[in-house]
Amino acid sequence: MTMRRAARMLCCLLVHSASAAPVSMVASGVLSAMIMPDRIAWHVRRWHADGAARVRSQRRILDVSRSCATANAAATSTKHLGKLILVRHGESTWNMDNKFTGWADVPLTDAGRAGAHRTAQVLRSEFKETVDVLYTSVLERAVETAQIIIASLESHGHQPIELRQRWRLNERHYGALTGLSKRESGCDDFELFQYRMTLAGRPPAMQPDHPYFTRREAKYVSGELLFVDPEPLALADVPLTES
């Protein structure tokens, strides 16, 4: 569960390896950098509600570290592990309005597109490695960010980069809160913390009368995901909320 949540939080993945290693191998490797539109963040902040939460979080981190260490040992025994570069998508229209987005498919703002271009500039100037594969979710804001970065790198002489879209990299589903601002949600600070910052918090599920009901989204109803993602997602399995 912890590893799956961690994967879903990644909006764009640029994967570099000596021979385009499988994502299962690369994802278990060393985190080299997290690139934001305006800065490179070399640390990860952790929030804890109380002492008990801190202990549980530390245990989860330890378990994940042990799993990664085991996977790393197996991977490095056969081939070079490569590097993983994490990129956050540019500002979306709902980011600008401070709304819960989740699986809702909203576009980038002009500022978000500009941020994606700046990210590409950072990649060109500060990371000299060749990018082999770029993984992203199937959400428009992440896909457009990825396309801007690929176009920028390739226009400056970079080798062609393969784009792979995976629904498992979609953002956490915020259920009935989708489309609402933090104030409109009616949630207190503790509930917002649980829903946004913990592995256990689960927002109320969206119902069929929700204006952004995910199971009415064309990409999930029509089956068109199969053209970009080899892993099927049955309509009945499309989440209506997530922890």
Side-chain angles (χ1 to χ4, degrees), residues 19-236:
S19 58
V23 67
S24 58
M25 181 184 296
V26 177
S28 67
V30 179
L31 175 67
S32 61
M34 176 175 288
I35 303 176
M36 313 286 281
D38 295 313
R39 72 180 190 280
I40 299 178
W42 293 97
H43 65 281
V44 178
R45 296 179 181 176
R46 293 194 295 270
W47 292 264
H48 303 286
D50 50 36
R54 182 179 298 109
V55 171
R56 289 194 297 271
S57 177
Q58 290 171 345
R59 287 174 179 169
R60 293 189 188 104
I61 293 169
L62 180 60
D63 290 341
V64 172
S65 299
R66 288 171 175 167
S67 298
C68 287
T70 302
N72 285 347
T76 53
S77 65
T78 57
K79 62 173 65 177
H80 174 60
L81 197 59
K83 289 186 178 181
L84 174 65
I85 304 173
L86 309 184
V87 180
R88 188 187 189 279
H89 65 75
E91 179 192 62
S92 73
T93 54
W94 283 13
N95 289 147
M96 183 173 62
D97 295 334
N98 198 29
K99 291 182 177 180
F100 286 101
T101 308
W103 280 44
D105 220 4
V106 298
L108 296 178
T109 63
D110 289 341
R113 295 182 185 95
H117 283 288
R118 289 196 300 273
T119 297
Q121 292 173 0
V122 172
L123 283 170
R124 293 199 311 269
S125 63
E126 310 224 3
F127 294 88
K128 303 305 181 183
E129 296 89 349
T130 298
V131 176
D132 298 305
V133 183
L134 193 156
Y135 284 88
T136 180
S137 73
V138 300
L139 299 171
E140 178 182 352
R141 56 192 181 274
V143 174
E144 186 177 3
T145 299
Q147 291 171 336
I148 289 172
I149 291 173
I150 288 176
S152 178
L153 293 179
E154 292 182 353
S155 69
H156 285 78
H158 194 289
Q159 69 177 30
I161 301 171
E162 180 182 358
L163 176 62
R164 298 179 184 177
Q165 299 178 40
R166 298 294 184 265
W167 62 264
R168 287 189 179 276
L169 295 180
N170 282 10
E171 186 179 336
R172 181 182 195 164
H173 199 301
Y174 282 108
L177 303 183
T178 301
L180 300 178
S181 68
K182 309 301 185 290
R183 178 175 297 180
E184 291 169 339
S185 71
C187 299
D188 59 32
D189 289 345
F190 180 75
E191 289 174 319
L192 289 175
F193 174 86
Q194 289 290 312
Y195 296 155
R196 300 181 66 239
M197 303 297 182
T198 73
L199 299 176
R202 182 186 291 266
M206 60 167 49
Q207 300 302 314
D209 61 350
H210 194 285
Y212 302 103
F213 190 61
T214 310
R215 292 180 185 173
R216 284 197 299 268
E217 284 270 353
K219 63 164 56 80
Y220 308 119
V221 173
S222 66
E224 66 184 60
L225 278 184
L226 289 176
F227 291 102
V228 296
D229 189 340
E231 183 178 0
L233 176 61
L235 188 61

